[in-house]
Amino acid sequence: MISDGVEDEEKWLAAGIAGLQQNAFYMHRSLDSNNLKDALKYSAQMLSELRTSKLSPHKYYDLYMRAFDELRKLEIFFMEETKRGCSIIDLYELVQHAGNILPRLYLLCTVGSVYIKSKEAPAKDILKDLVEMCRGIQHPLRGLFLRSYLSQVSRDKLPDIGSEYEGDADTVNDAVEFVLQNFTEMNKLWVRMQHQGPARDKEKREKERSELRDLVGKNLHILSQVEGVDLDMYKDIVLPRVLEQVVNCKDEIAQFYLMECIIQVFPDEYHLQTLDVLLGACPQLQPSVDIKTVLSQLMERLSNYAASSAEVLPEFLQVEAFSKLSKAIGKVIEAQVDMPTVGVVTLYSALLTFTLHVHPDRLDYADLVLGACVKKLSGKGKIEDNKATKQIVALLSAPLEKYNDIVTTLKLSNYSHVMEYLDGETIKVMAMVIVQSITKNKTQISTADNVEALFELIRGLIKDLDGSLTDEVDEDDFKEEQSSVARLIQMLYNDDPDEMFKIICTVKKHILTGGIKRLPFTVPALVFSSLKLVRQLQGQEENPFGDETATTPKKIFQLLTQTIEILSSVPAPELAFRLYLQCAEAANDCDLEPVAYELFTQAYILYEEEISDSKAQVTALHLIIGTLQKMHVFGVENRDTLTHKATGYSAKLLKKPDQCRAVYACSHLFWLDDHDNMKDGERVMLCLKRALRIANAAQQMSNATRGSTGPVSLFIEILNKYLYFFEKGNPQITVATIQGLIELITTEMQSDTTTPDSSADAFFASTLRYIEFQKQKGGAVGEKYEPIKV
Amino acid sequence: MQGAGCARFGSSISLPTIMNYLLGAFKPSCTVSIAFSDGKTRKQVPLKKENGQTVLVPLFQSQENITGKITIDPLQGKKVDHNGVKIELLGQIEMYFDRGNYYDFTSLVRELDVPGEIYERKTYPFEFSTVEMPYETYNGVNVRLRYVLKVTISRGYAGSIVEYQDFVVRNYSPPPSINNGIKMEVGIEDCLHIEFEYNKSKYHLKDVIIGKIYFLLVRIKIKNMDLEIRRRESTGSGANTHVETETLAKYELMDGAPVRGESIPVRLFLSPYELTPTHRNINNKFSVKYYLNLVLVDEEDRRYFKQQEITIYRLQEAA
């Protein structure tokens, strides 16, 4: 059925075009032979094709445009005709003899255009006559096109200021009056379309109407182009008249479109100066009109206007734009009870953007907007609507974008209240926006209060919200989020240690609520942030008065210990272990022996109780050794205890090579370069010998199980340790011991049972080369090495 | 082909020659011509003759002097024997149901010559002074009114020689002192109420009808609206009255369906239409009246109309 309709329409259009072209042909012939009478006859017949009722607006437009082109030729002919002496007044009458009204009026408009150009009568009289006579077409589609033709041909002939058609009697008022009248009539016709035809075609009709809307809107565009329409005229005549028509037509489509048009075509400063009137019309529109979009557009335009130049800002203040808009929005929301949440939020979002642009200094305004929004949202519970949520995100992002500074935003007390209406997922998204804004702008957040507020805002990232446990969170996303939080924690900083400590406490309070999944991300960040503070304090003298409230490294370490302990709930022993060691190192630098000892103890306990994987043990042990080696704060006793433990652990590793390596690493614990009292050559030697034994045992074990010994790399490694301590001047390491080991290695390597290993060969070769090199260096070192024979 | 056939041009007398010869036998023995004294300057207007041909004839109005001269020119070598020569000015009404029978409402006679013989060209001046010609020349559907000059050369047995000269009379009126507009509200209850207004009730032939149609109530789907000019010619009287109505103009005023409160302008130029002045009861023989007929057509092609008489008059054109 429908496709038939379309086909029929094609046929009708084709027939219409054919008829039009045929008559146009005869018309051309008449024009060529200067036969006015025939020209009129054929042009009227040609225009009769436009009388059809069978075409949709789209197809009708096609036909109209063809007629339009032909009429241009006719107009030129009329112009020449008047030059040949034919009176334009007679012509104006002559075309009115046509019996059919539509062709008659098209011809009248065409001659009218020539008439105005001739200036034989005031433009205003002719325009007035034309716009009046067009009333004869009451058919919406035909009327709209006819009047559109009228506005087209008259466009350049309005008695505008500065126009050649302006005269004593013709003023811009007449021009405006003409356009307004044509606009009013066109709008009436357009609105009338809605009410004609059966109800079941409503959708089709609305589609057709929307195709025609620009014909109506064009008039407003013309008005905006009229030079003479200055602010006063716009205020006194144009806007009231246009709005009167908009309000009175009581048509949803027209009201929405025309309000949009008004906002788009007229200059911003006009809007600003007529804000009362424009906003006053909004509550009078039909309840179904999408006012929120209209107002949003208005505010957007004004925002951009405000942003365009600082010079215009006083105008905004002068007209109290903010309070007017704010009131208008309130009224609209009140009037439209059924407005969906998305609408409400969109409006407030636009208003917020506006106030941010216009009154960047008035945070209270922004807060007011947020407050009003909260009020409207209250009682509605979490917002489920996807679009509404998006709008809230936009609303909340606006201040961030504007100020690039979360601190300012945090001053908006209603900000977090708005967030409460978001669902968990969106809160997270919003929190990410905030965090990213901070990281991007490197915002300094330097007070505990701000931190408190900030963490309140981004709590979606900090802890699991109700119900969100069920959500399957993408692992990567989660990591990304938490890394962002970690970055954020690192960025919180204040020069004042007391305040910084407070910040740390606040952060700690919040991250402790984060649950076991988040802690591994957040705790290290906090620990390092705290250590930064420790480092800052370590150089300073202790407060001689022992002020209880002052921030001391001790206090921080207490806090750190507590913090790290929490990781046991995860559990994340390896992480906690590393953090303990980090802290111990810091405590060392602060000369806090008991603290350092305690931290080490904790690390040891974790090692013993929690770290059971052999690989992890190896790593952990090396960390212990590395850290312990650097500790200088310990007394002999404590140090002995700790080193003893460490060597003990080394010997207990599962794999022989691991044991061996751990043991020779332990040798370093007894030899601290800068501390002469901690150079125990004997014990170093002991460790190395023990390592050698273990290496030997490893070889034998390998031989026993596989029938071939493993690579000799362990020996070579020990050889390197020998050389190291030899150079350092450990008296226990002699040329003989080194010589012995080299020989041992050489023998081993030549043994049949040894598996050839090129990397071990290379390692050994380069070690020997090193000895050779040291020898040739000469001086004290060379002398020392001289006796070693390779 | 060109060489194959040859033209056959006979030497016989051609047909027209014979005709002339034959007709010559019955030709009147003289020619009579009627000339107006101001014939060269007087305005001439077209007049449709009975045989359908249009000729240009002089135009007069009432109370004018009709003067001129009659020339009687006997054919070579012939004399005209007569019982007197006279000229008549006749105003005649001819009803087509009684064709050929003229009713003379005006008849003026001038005797030009006493009985005698005319041997050579003779000229007679004539004059009808301030002739009362109250009615205009009219060519209608069923009736015609004409003015004619009739020259009669009376002869006894041979039959009189008669020559006619038509002329047209048009009478001009000054603008009427009272010329009210026509304004009226009409309607069908709960269906359609309109108010129409025409600026005058009396229009001259080149006038423009200005008006507007105001829609007070519209409950029907109107398709379009036309304004028609209708001419009603009634002839005869009493039981024999015959009425003929013609629609002379059909002028579309509106296209599409208006809503309540719309006002549609009317501007109709009368000049393109062949109108005559209104004629009321011309000598008890006929009347010609004009009406404006406003017609509204709805989508089911039902017609709603209202007819109003207007008077048409001939306005003296400025020199």
Side-chain angles (χ1 to χ4, degrees):
Chain A
M1 278 296 280
I2 291 168
S3 70
D4 275 1
V6 172
E7 265 172 44
D8 280 351
E9 227 193 295
E10 290 288 353
K11 249 184 265 165
W12 287 321
L13 176 62
I17 292 172
L20 189 138
Q21 281 171 341
Q22 192 189 354
N23 284 304
F25 170 77
Y26 288 120
M27 184 186 88
H28 292 162
R29 245 177 29 181
S30 320
L31 297 183
D32 290 343
S33 55
N34 286 335
N35 187 336
L36 176 61
K37 212 178 128 215
D38 280 359
L40 290 179
K41 181 177 127 197
Y42 288 117
S43 56
Q45 279 178 20
M46 173 186 83
L47 291 165
S48 286
E49 296 297 340
L50 289 174
R51 297 173 74 206
T52 178
S53 297
K54 289 174 175 166
L55 298 178
S56 68
H58 195 71
K59 298 270 190 297
Y60 192 86
Y61 177 74
D62 189 340
L63 203 56
Y64 164 83
M65 280 316 290
R66 286 162 197 268
F68 184 88
D69 291 341
E70 297 300 338
L71 285 173
R72 296 281 61 73
K73 294 170 194 156
L74 192 62
E75 186 179 341
I76 294 167
F77 171 74
F78 285 150
M79 204 101 77
E80 286 165 356
E81 197 71 359
T82 55
K83 277 180 202 148
R84 279 193 288 267
C86 178
S87 145
I88 182 70
I89 299 160
D90 289 349
L91 258 182
Y92 196 68
E93 182 189 322
L94 212 52
V95 293
Q96 294 185 66
H97 294 175
N100 282 320
I101 183 158
L102 192 69
R104 178 167 77 229
L105 292 177
Y106 271 106
L107 290 175
L108 190 67
C109 291
T110 311
V111 177
S113 160
V114 179
Y115 199 174
I116 297 174
K117 265 194 200 157
S118 78
K119 295 182 190 158
E120 284 189 34
K124 74 163 178 187
D125 292 348
I126 300 161
L127 291 173
K128 196 167 169 0
D129 189 51
L130 291 175
V131 79
E132 265 305 309
M133 292 312 282
C134 283
R135 282 177 187 277
I137 307 298
Q138 292 288 317
H139 185 276
L141 184 62
R142 295 194 282 271
L144 277 172
F145 275 97
L146 172 69
R147 286 184 178 274
S148 156
Y149 179 71
L150 171 61
S151 90
Q152 190 71 30
V153 296
S154 63
R155 249 196 109 157
D156 53 347
K157 300 175 189 75
L158 300 175
D160 189 6
I161 284 179
S163 145
E164 55 175 315
Y165 304 104
E166 187 195 14
D168 298 336
D170 299 71
T171 64
V172 67
N173 281 321
D174 300 308
V176 167
E177 188 56 39
F178 166 74
V179 182
L180 277 173
Q181 199 181 339
N182 205 31
F183 160 72
T184 308
E185 293 301 327
M186 280 177 91
N187 190 44
K188 279 195 208 158
L189 290 171
W190 188 45
V191 169
R192 201 184 294 168
M193 277 185 94
Q194 191 70 19
H195 310 291
Q196 291 181 345
R200 65 192 142 84
D201 289 345
K202 186 164 178 266
E203 211 168 294
K204 181 175 163 236
R205 223 167 20 239
E206 286 183 353
K207 184 180 157 277
E208 291 185 349
R209 280 194 65 200
S210 71
E211 287 172 1
L212 291 168
R213 60 184 200 172
D214 288 344
L215 295 183
V216 184
K218 192 79 191 278
N219 288 297
L220 296 181
H221 186 242
I222 291 174
L223 275 177
S224 75
Q225 309 256 294
V226 172
E227 284 288 322
V229 176
D230 55 10
L231 179 60
D232 284 339
M233 184 153 207
Y234 177 75
K235 205 179 193 169
D236 297 340
I237 299 171
V238 176
L239 184 63
R241 288 276 301 275
V242 172
L243 282 180
E244 183 192 358
Q245 175 59 26
V246 171
V247 169
N248 288 345
C249 78
K250 294 195 173 20
D251 177 81
E252 176 192 350
I253 298 174
Q255 289 184 334
F256 177 67
Y257 172 70
L258 293 176
M259 287 303 276
E260 260 191 320
C261 258
I262 294 173
I263 290 168
Q264 298 302 336
V265 300
F266 292 108
D268 300 313
E269 55 163 321
Y270 287 13
H271 292 319
L272 194 56
Q273 297 299 332
T274 55
L275 214 46
D276 288 327
V277 188
L278 195 57
L279 294 175
C282 288
Q284 297 179 60
L285 303 179
Q286 298 301 101
S288 48
V289 173
D290 183 7
I291 301 183
K292 68 159 197 307
T293 308
V294 172
L295 282 177
S296 305
Q297 280 175 350
L298 175 64
M299 287 184 278
E300 195 186 319
R301 276 207 64 161
L302 291 179
S303 304
N304 291 341
Y305 179 51
S308 68
S309 148
E311 289 161 26
V312 300
L313 285 179
E315 286 179 43
F316 282 86
L317 299 178
Q318 191 200 333
V319 301
E320 296 176 327
F322 173 74
S323 69
K324 278 176 191 168
L325 282 170
S326 160
K327 257 184 226 154
I329 286 173
K331 269 190 200 154
V332 165
I333 292 174
E334 248 169 61
Q336 301 199 347
V337 191
D338 300 332
M339 189 191 280
T341 313
V342 58
V344 177
V345 182
T346 310
L347 276 177
Y348 281 117
S349 172
L351 180 61
L352 185 64
T353 314
F354 171 80
T355 173
L356 289 174
H357 277 110
V358 181
H359 306 287
D361 51 332
R362 294 296 298 264
L363 270 179
D364 54 332
Y365 281 177
D367 204 31
L368 224 61
V369 177
L370 291 172
C373 186
V374 169
K375 220 164 135 196
K376 287 291 159 204
L377 290 176
S378 66
K380 291 194 177 169
K382 296 266 181 208
I383 293 158
E384 313 266 298
D385 180 11
N386 222 342
K387 283 184 192 157
T389 338
K390 263 187 202 152
Q391 276 304 324
I392 295 200
V393 172
L395 172 83
L396 292 172
S397 305
L400 292 176
E401 278 162 25
K402 173 64 189 175
Y403 293 116
N404 281 334
D405 177 9
I406 187 74
V407 181
T408 317
T409 313
L410 291 175
K411 287 182 195 147
L412 304 169
S413 60
N414 282 307
Y415 196 88
S416 60
H417 295 309
V418 177
M419 277 188 90
E420 278 163 26
Y421 295 95
L422 292 172
D423 62 72
E425 195 49 42
T426 320
I427 288 190
K428 241 193 234 170
V429 171
M430 196 56 230
M432 275 303 272
V433 171
I434 295 173
V435 172
Q436 277 160 0
S437 152
I438 297 170
T439 6
K440 201 178 104 212
N441 298 305
K442 304 205 173 17
T443 316
Q444 252 203 12
I445 299 150
S446 49
T447 70
D449 290 346
N450 280 343
V451 172
E452 175 74 37
L454 175 63
F455 273 75
E456 194 53 44
L457 283 185
I458 61 163
R459 65 190 183 284
L461 295 177
I462 302 303
K463 60 181 174 191
D464 292 327
L465 297 164
D466 319 328
S468 63
L469 279 174
T470 49
D471 295 347
E472 268 304 309
V473 185
D474 184 77
E475 198 63 32
D476 288 341
D477 286 353
F478 182 77
K479 270 186 195 161
E480 170 71 33
E481 277 169 28
Q482 295 308 316
S483 307
S484 301
V485 175
R487 272 200 290 277
L488 172 68
I489 294 172
Q490 299 278 20
M491 291 188 64
L492 311 173
Y493 179 71
N494 191 324
D495 278 334
D496 175 26
D498 293 339
E499 192 59 40
M500 188 60 205
F501 186 66
K502 272 193 210 155
I503 290 175
I504 290 168
C505 289
T506 314
V507 173
K508 183 187 157 222
K509 187 182 88 194
H510 281 281
I511 64 169
L512 290 193
T513 60
I516 55 171
K517 280 179 78 185
R518 289 186 181 77
L519 286 172
F521 292 94
T522 47
V523 168
L526 178 64
V527 168
F528 282 101
S529 178
S530 310
L531 288 177
K532 224 183 326 181
L533 177 60
V534 171
R535 301 283 182 198
Q536 186 194 339
L537 288 173
Q538 76 182 38
Q540 295 168 9
E541 291 295 306
E542 280 285 314
N543 190 334
F545 304 106
D547 187 351
E548 285 293 306
T549 56
T551 305
T552 60
K554 224 181 221 163
K555 261 184 166 172
I556 301 170
F557 280 117
Q558 282 163 12
L559 181 109
L560 280 170
T561 319
Q562 290 163 13
T563 314
I564 301 170
E565 264 169 19
I566 299 157
L567 285 175
S568 64
S569 61
V570 177
E574 285 161 50
L575 180 62
F577 170 81
R578 282 161 191 260
L579 292 175
Y580 277 133
L581 291 181
Q582 279 288 346
C583 293
E585 207 184 329
N588 172 67
D589 295 341
C590 294
D591 286 328
L592 293 169
E593 187 183 1
V595 176
Y597 188 80
E598 175 58 26
L599 289 164
F600 252 97
T601 317
Q602 292 297 334
Y604 278 22
I605 292 170
L606 280 176
Y607 179 84
E608 282 173 17
E609 291 176 359
E610 306 286 345
I611 302 175
S612 50
D613 176 65
S614 56
K615 258 191 193 155
Q617 280 182 342
V618 173
T619 320
L621 195 52
H622 281 282
L623 284 170
I624 289 178
I625 296 165
T627 316
L628 191 55
Q629 203 264 346
K630 283 190 192 151
M631 303 297 265
H632 51 75
V633 71
F634 294 129
V636 180
E637 206 169 304
N638 281 341
R639 194 179 167 79
D640 270 358
T641 317
L642 292 174
T643 44
H644 188 252
K645 267 282 178 195
T647 42
Y649 294 153
S650 309
K652 280 183 200 140
L653 287 174
L654 181 65
K655 288 199 274 186
K656 288 287 175 194
D658 290 340
Q659 270 183 24
C660 172
R661 290 191 175 104
V663 170
Y664 70 63
C666 279
S667 64
H668 288 285
L669 292 177
F670 305 106
W671 194 274
L672 266 68
D673 272 350
D674 306 331
H675 300 77
D676 284 342
N677 59 339
M678 274 190 265
K679 284 183 180 164
D680 189 340
E682 254 174 73
R683 292 181 77 169
V684 170
M685 198 54 201
L686 230 75
C687 283
L688 292 177
K689 276 191 175 156
R690 203 161 159 195
L692 260 181
R693 268 206 307 277
I694 298 168
N696 235 334
Q699 284 291 60
Q700 278 162 19
M701 248 166 78
S702 168
N703 205 4
T705 49
R706 296 204 195 97
S708 66
T709 51
V712 289
S713 33
L714 279 176
F715 293 111
I716 308 169
E717 284 165 34
I718 296 166
L719 173 62
N720 276 283
K721 289 288 164 202
Y722 271 34
L723 291 175
Y724 171 82
F725 286 111
F726 179 64
E727 266 179 46
K728 293 288 178 192
N730 186 337
Q732 297 292 317
I733 314 289
T734 62
V735 175
T737 40
I738 295 171
Q739 200 72 56
L741 189 53
I742 292 174
E743 273 161 26
L744 174 72
I745 295 167
T746 323
T747 330
E748 279 290 324
M749 286 172 80
Q750 282 158 2
S751 155
D752 296 338
T753 52
T754 308
T755 321
D757 179 2
S758 61
S759 71
D761 291 350
F763 187 20
F764 185 55
S766 75
T767 310
L768 295 180
R769 253 202 322 280
Y770 174 77
I771 297 170
E772 221 30 67
F773 176 73
Q774 292 296 76
K775 272 188 195 171
Q776 283 162 19
K777 241 185 187 173
V781 182
E783 231 166 75
K784 214 171 178 187
Y785 272 90
E786 196 48 53
I788 302 174
K789 293 191 180 70
V790 184
Chain B
M1 286 298 280
Q2 213 162 16
C6 62
R8 279 188 221 153
F9 287 118
S11 56
S12 61
I13 302 162
S14 65
L15 191 63
T17 319
I18 301 168
M19 288 293 286
N20 281 347
Y21 173 74
L22 288 171
L23 283 170
F26 303 99
K27 261 179 133 181
S29 49
C30 64
T31 56
V32 181
S33 60
I34 306 167
F36 294 96
S37 32
D38 52 1
K40 281 189 180 142
T41 52
R42 182 162 289 277
K43 188 181 176 185
Q44 300 219 310
V45 292
L47 178 73
K48 213 171 184 183
K49 301 261 282 183
E50 285 142 86
N51 58 14
Q53 282 179 339
T54 306
V55 292
L56 286 173
V57 297
L59 173 67
F60 288 92
Q61 53 179 308
S62 190
Q63 309 253 310
E64 269 195 295
N65 295 334
I66 299 173
T67 61
K69 54 190 181 190
I70 311 295
T71 307
I72 298 172
D73 203 356
L75 291 179
Q76 198 65 43
K78 292 205 173 175
K79 64 168 182 163
V80 180
D81 230 351
H82 64 86
N83 295 334
V85 178
K86 65 175 179 183
I87 181 163
E88 293 167 284
L89 188 156
L90 299 174
Q92 303 179 315
I93 295 170
E94 180 187 19
M95 312 292 258
Y96 290 161
F97 62 84
D98 190 15
R99 202 178 275 270
N101 202 0
Y102 299 100
Y103 171 79
D104 296 348
F105 56 88
T106 292
S107 176
L108 301 168
V109 188
R110 297 284 182 272
E111 296 292 344
L112 297 179
D113 206 352
V114 292
E117 289 169 348
I118 301 169
Y119 297 96
E120 55 188 359
R121 173 199 279 249
K122 197 166 181 190
T123 304
Y124 306 96
F126 67 90
E127 177 172 0
F128 300 98
S129 320
T130 51
V131 189
E132 200 68 46
M133 295 179 288
Y135 310 130
E136 280 203 355
T137 305
Y138 175 73
N139 265 313
V141 185
N142 287 320
V143 65
R144 111 176 136 132
L145 186 153
R146 71 161 187 169
Y147 287 94
V148 68
L149 286 173
K150 181 182 178 189
V151 175
T152 313
I153 304 169
S154 313
R155 293 198 293 186
Y157 54 94
S160 301
I161 299 169
V162 181
E163 182 66 32
Y164 296 98
Q165 170 65 52
D166 281 286
F167 63 94
V168 166
V169 171
R170 286 179 182 173
N171 286 325
Y172 302 94
S173 326
S177 53
I178 299 170
N179 194 351
N180 294 323
I182 300 171
K183 188 172 178 177
M184 187 178 268
E185 192 186 322
V186 291
I188 309 160
E189 202 172 333
D190 292 334
C191 183
L192 179 69
H193 278 272
I194 62 171
E195 186 183 272
F196 59 80
E197 196 179 329
Y198 308 123
N199 59 337
K200 300 176 199 169
S201 51
K202 295 167 184 158
Y203 294 94
H204 63 78
L205 292 168
K206 307 273 184 238
D207 218 342
V208 191
I209 298 173
I210 306 281
K212 67 175 178 193
I213 319 293
Y214 187 69
F215 286 83
L216 299 164
L217 177 80
V218 191
R219 293 254 172 89
I220 50 172
K221 285 175 179 166
I222 296 172
K223 203 163 67 178
N224 62 337
M225 175 168 73
D226 293 339
L227 189 61
E228 293 176 347
I229 299 173
R230 313 187 91 200
R231 173 158 64 197
R232 219 172 85 120
E233 179 188 289
S234 62
T235 47
S237 59
N240 292 327
T241 309
H242 196 79
V243 176
E244 195 72 46
T245 308
E246 293 168 273
T247 302
L248 300 178
K250 189 167 181 281
Y251 193 74
E252 195 181 14
L253 289 183
M254 184 184 75
D255 168 26
V259 294
R260 195 167 66 90
E262 285 293 349
S263 139
I264 308 299
V266 178
R267 185 192 291 153
L268 173 56
F269 292 90
L270 297 179
S271 58
Y273 307 106
E274 287 180 18
L275 305 181
T276 67
T278 298
H279 299 305
R280 288 184 212 283
N281 195 18
I282 300 303
N283 223 256
N284 282 326
K285 293 288 180 202
F286 73 97
S287 296
V288 178
K289 291 181 178 175
Y290 287 90
Y291 296 88
L292 285 179
N293 192 27
L294 184 69
V295 185
L296 290 106
V297 184
D298 74 7
E299 286 188 344
E300 269 105 57
D301 282 329
R302 279 188 292 255
R303 288 160 63 88
Y304 308 81
F305 58 89
K306 179 69 189 172
Q307 197 160 284
Q308 283 296 120
E309 192 189 344
I310 52 168
T311 304
I312 309 271
Y313 64 96
R314 192 183 299 279
L315 182 70
Q316 180 70 62
E317 286 165 60

